[in-house]
Amino acid sequence: MVNSLLNCGAARVDGEANDALQQVISELSRAPLFASEIDPNLAESFQLEAIGGWILLTEALGEMSEVQTDRIIILAREQAHYLDQCIEETVVAVEGEELRESYLENVEDRLRAYGLGYFATRNLEVEGRCHDVITGASTGENVLNSAAGRALLDSCDRYSREIVSALRVFACE
């Protein structure tokens, strides 16, 4: 069901909702997702928040307001910061610690100034790239088909894979 949501959502990135996407959202909203709906583990909580973000995004397709855009951005920031806190507080080893530390040591000063952990800092970096690519696009340009858009999508995919990799550790606890 989640794959169906992602596929339908990805097919509708042009800003127009369609019946198939609305049907998947409706089905997902009614589905029993996890064994423990009372106390989901960390990985399940992230999945629920991501699904909530997709639902929020589909509600905004076509006429995304500034308020809806801000809600989506804030959700991503909060989740990244929360993951950093969980990693810091856990006794479980999360693969890639040296790489995360190296990144934070070498990140641009404008990002380091926030004093955030790895995932929150990477989120701000990716968010900044999104903003730059979108505002740098010419009117009527299909941003996702441009070279800058494809590079941005690759960057987003790498960041997403890092989050999923870290969450796998918590899913196995």
Side-chain angles (χ1 to χ4, degrees):
M1 191 175 296
V2 173
N3 281 339
S4 180
L5 171 66
L6 297 176
N7 291 335
C8 286
R12 301 309 306 168
V13 293
D14 61 1
E16 293 181 30
N18 69 5
D19 292 337
L21 181 57
Q22 293 305 322
Q23 181 178 346
V24 171
I25 294 289
S26 178
E27 290 172 10
L28 185 61
S29 298
R30 293 187 309 267
L33 297 174
F34 304 109
S36 173
E37 293 181 16
I38 295 171
D39 187 23
N41 68 31
L42 177 67
E44 291 173 342
S45 295
F46 268 78
Q47 289 171 340
L48 288 170
E49 288 295 330
I51 290 166
W54 267 94
I55 291 171
L56 175 65
L57 184 61
T58 60
E59 290 171 354
L61 284 176
E63 297 180 27
M64 187 177 287
S65 71
E66 185 175 335
V67 170
Q68 290 167 317
T69 302
D70 284 344
R71 283 178 55 202
I72 292 168
I73 291 169
I74 289 169
L75 175 64
R77 287 178 183 174
E78 288 173 347
Q79 287 300 104
H81 183 63
Y82 181 56
L83 180 56
D84 284 330
Q85 289 176 322
C86 290
I87 289 172
E88 186 176 307
E89 295 171 3
T90 189
V91 294
V92 177
V94 178
E95 188 178 328
E97 182 176 353
E98 298 82 22
L99 293 173
R100 290 190 299 274
E101 288 176 5
S102 175
Y103 170 85
L104 288 173
E105 289 172 5
N106 297 306
V107 74
E108 296 176 32
D109 288 339
R110 67 179 179 82
L111 295 172
R112 186 181 303 114
Y114 292 100
L116 298 170
Y118 174 79
F119 286 103
T121 302
R122 284 278 287 129
N123 183 72
L124 289 177
E125 178 186 24
V126 170
E127 182 183 315
R129 286 184 187 159
C130 289
H131 183 266
D132 292 345
V133 169
I134 291 169
T135 58
S138 58
T139 305
E141 178 184 5
N142 184 338
V143 174
L144 297 179
N145 286 335
S146 69
R150 287 189 299 278
L152 177 62
L153 288 173
D154 287 342
S155 178
C156 291
D157 285 344
R158 281 192 304 278
Y159 175 58
S160 295
R161 284 191 298 273
E162 290 180 71
I163 289 175
V164 169
S165 177
L167 288 173
R168 281 194 177 112
V169 172
F170 293 101
C172 297
E173 281 191 324

